[in-house]
Amino acid sequence: MDRNKIKLLLQTVKHLKFKQIYYQLYYLIRNKFFKRIYVKELKKEIHPLNWHDSFLYTNSFIKENRFTFLNLPHQFTDKINWNYADFGKLWTYNLNYFDFLNQKDCSAGEGLKLINDYIENESNLKDGKEPYPISLRGINWIKFLSKNKISEVKINQTLYNHYETLIHNLEYHLLGNHLLENGYSLLFGAYYFKDESLYKKAKQILTEELTEQILSDGAHFELSPMYHQILFHRILDCIRLIQLNKWQEDNLLLFLKGKASLMRSWLEEITFCNGVIPMVNDSAYKIAPESDQLFQFAEEIGLERKKEKLRASGYRMFRSKNYELFIDVGNIGPDYQPGHAHSDTFNFELYVRSKPILVDPGISTYEKNDRRLKERGTSYHNTVKIGNQDQTKVWDGFRVAKRAKIIKLKEIDNTIEAAHNGYKNLGIIHTRRFSTHETNIIQIEDIISKKVDEEQVAFFHFHPDVKEIRILNNKIELINNGVTIHFKGNEVVIKEEEYQYCLGFNSTKKAKKIKVYFNTTLSTRIDL
């Protein structure tokens, strides 16, 4: 391993919790020298739960063993290979989640056939035996079996074994959303099997993790709107589970409702009026349920409405009659679990009259490749890059070494000003000020604390629907969009380029971006 890689690794590992390091080593040693098979006889009769869905997943399973995940279709011509890896690990994970059991078009007979095929191939399973896919698959099987009133000994025994595997392999080495998903699933398993030990562990995880992971303004602390939607959906499912099935009588339901109300408030605050979420950090289209579906679900279960101002998450939303401006003036997320974070401090998105104009490009892959690094990097966001350095050093797919930190934050009326130290090795502080004093004008001021030789570039990524950009001196006009952007500063040079806007995983579309070169100060005025 070269010296630079060792440095990155040390900068990354130093932020981990002791618990993560302990369980990394514990699982490594245990699984190598004390490997066991998690089989426990299920000695009682299992009755399906009361269950009905608020909404169904979009179709990912089509007849004749055809599946489409992450915009990549595949048909198994002979039999299903549950370890199929030609499209990467995330595609394999999706195959093993079994979301398709609860899609719009999947009959009880088709679902049972898929479950039984999986059980027959269980001895050969690889990725599907990891705790994360076990967690999601367990919930999907229990929902499917319960709403179709199916109870088969072989299926229940297999499912019970899966939960035995899960409870002995909880993702304490990762924490974050993975451990939370473990807890959600254990709650479903506990109710399905009427298992006190599963319930005790589920309640412990959910109480501890939701207390830490849901910030005071309601955001999930990994700061991905997509993952927030996923985890909000899951907590709504848990509330419905408890409401429909009277088994345990304690305060868990009240606790879950309180956290869900906070999560709802945050999602309402950051969702654009056309129903789309900002594509910041690891967020992609067509993965999570849409905000409107979740809000309807929340209403169905009688969730109390709260309204918390955006604060702890570092995100802000300014709204007027003509526009919505979403900005990021916060840190990247939990120090010990920044795997879904991007180098995007002071990034922003702008919607004008409900149409996206300036956007975060989003993501199209989780593979550890150059594309993944680019999509997480500073130059792929609407912010400023200095020299060849990123504000925050993202690397190896899901790792982060040195991190930009907010060192100043000031908010007065419709102005917010913040500074970060992501370029402190250059002796530079970057300050950005957003002002929205007038209905049709947005002002952005960038200040670099001292003059340096390194190139300073502000990036502006436009939605693919912005078809034509005209550059005139130090301003640009968005033809047919009614938007003009003026730039003022030292040595301003404007260049138009193309980039790949992400329509979802493995799907991109050409769009336009502007790179504005400047020296020390740049004033950007957006006229609508």
Side-chain angles (χ1 to χ4, degrees), residues 31-48:
N31 293 340
K32 185 172 184 178
F33 297 106
F34 306 98
K35 196 168 186 178
R36 57 175 283 195
I37 299 174
Y38 299 97
V39 176
K40 185 178 180 180
E41 186 181 356
L42 184 60
K43 297 180 179 179
K44 55 187 175 183
E45 185 178 356
I46 302 302
H47 301 284

Side-chain angles (χ1 to χ4, degrees), residues 71-265:
N71 295 308
L72 296 173
H74 181 73
Q75 183 169 10
F76 296 99
T77 54
D78 182 15
K79 59 182 181 179
I80 299 172
N81 176 9
W82 298 101
N83 299 316
Y84 184 78
D86 286 9
F87 293 151
K89 190 163 185 172
L90 187 59
W91 200 96
T92 312
Y93 268 3
N94 274 269
L95 180 64
N96 283 264
Y97 292 160
F98 272 75
D99 283 348
F100 42 79
L101 290 182
N102 301 297
Q103 69 179 32
K104 293 178 180 178
D105 297 321
C106 183
S107 68
E110 288 172 323
L112 270 177
K113 184 178 178 181
L114 291 167
I115 289 174
N116 283 317
D117 186 85
Y118 196 79
I119 292 171
E120 289 171 10
N121 289 278
E122 188 175 24
S123 61
N124 300 317
L125 295 178
K126 296 176 183 176
D127 294 335
K129 287 186 175 179
E130 294 179 19
Y132 191 77
I134 285 176
S135 296
L136 273 59
R137 184 172 63 248
I139 293 175
N140 281 317
W141 280 25
I142 289 170
K143 284 182 179 181
F144 172 81
L145 296 170
S146 295
K147 69 186 178 185
N148 287 293
K149 302 302 177 187
I150 296 169
S151 183
E152 294 189 5
V153 173
K154 181 174 69 173
I155 295 174
N156 289 333
Q157 180 64 65
T158 301
L159 184 57
Y160 195 55
N161 293 341
H162 290 174
Y163 275 106
E164 274 294 296
T165 302
L166 177 60
I167 202 167
H168 287 94
N169 292 274
L170 295 167
E171 294 176 276
Y172 288 117
H173 59 301
L174 296 177
L175 300 177
N177 75 84
H178 277 246
L179 184 58
L180 193 51
E181 291 281 22
N182 297 165
Y184 286 140
S185 189
L186 286 174
L187 187 67
F188 267 80
Y191 267 76
Y192 187 73
F193 294 110
K194 302 295 185 292
D195 189 298
E196 293 285 350
S197 62
L198 293 182
Y199 181 77
K200 182 179 178 181
K201 179 55 71 173
K203 184 177 180 181
Q204 177 196 344
I205 291 174
L206 293 177
T207 302
E208 292 177 357
E209 294 304 316
L210 286 169
T211 296
E212 179 180 7
Q213 294 191 34
I214 305 307
L215 303 178
S216 59
D217 64 359
H220 179 256
F221 74 166
E222 292 183 50
L223 303 177
S224 156
M226 179 189 78
Y227 277 97
H228 184 98
Q229 288 177 318
I230 291 170
L231 296 169
F232 181 44
H233 179 207
R234 210 78 72 206
I235 199 172
L236 295 179
D237 272 347
C238 287
I239 292 169
R240 169 162 282 175
L241 172 74
I242 298 172
Q243 287 177 335
L244 292 178
N245 300 275
K246 304 301 180 185
W247 177 48
Q248 295 287 340
E249 296 293 337
D250 56 26
N251 59 359
L252 181 58
L253 178 59
L254 186 63
F255 172 79
L256 294 177
K257 282 186 170 182
K259 292 301 179 183
S261 292
L262 271 175
M263 295 180 76
R264 174 184 182 172
S265 172

Side-chain angles (χ1 to χ4, degrees), residues 348-400:
F348 70 96
E349 289 198 334
L350 175 65
Y351 278 52
V352 178
R353 291 174 281 277
S354 300
K355 302 293 184 183
I357 300 297
L358 284 159
V359 293
D360 187 298
I363 59 168
S364 66
T365 184
Y366 270 178
E367 296 301 301
K368 295 179 182 180
N369 54 27
D370 290 342
R371 180 77 192 166
R372 170 73 172 155
L373 288 175
K374 179 187 288 188
E375 290 173 356
R376 295 180 75 201
T378 301
S379 61
Y380 227 64
H381 300 88
N382 298 320
T383 188
V384 171
K385 184 171 182 176
I386 299 176
N388 61 359
Q389 298 186 38
D390 281 352
Q391 306 158 332
T392 291
K393 182 60 179 177
V394 294
W395 67 290
D396 196 41
F398 295 91
R399 290 180 174 175
V400 179

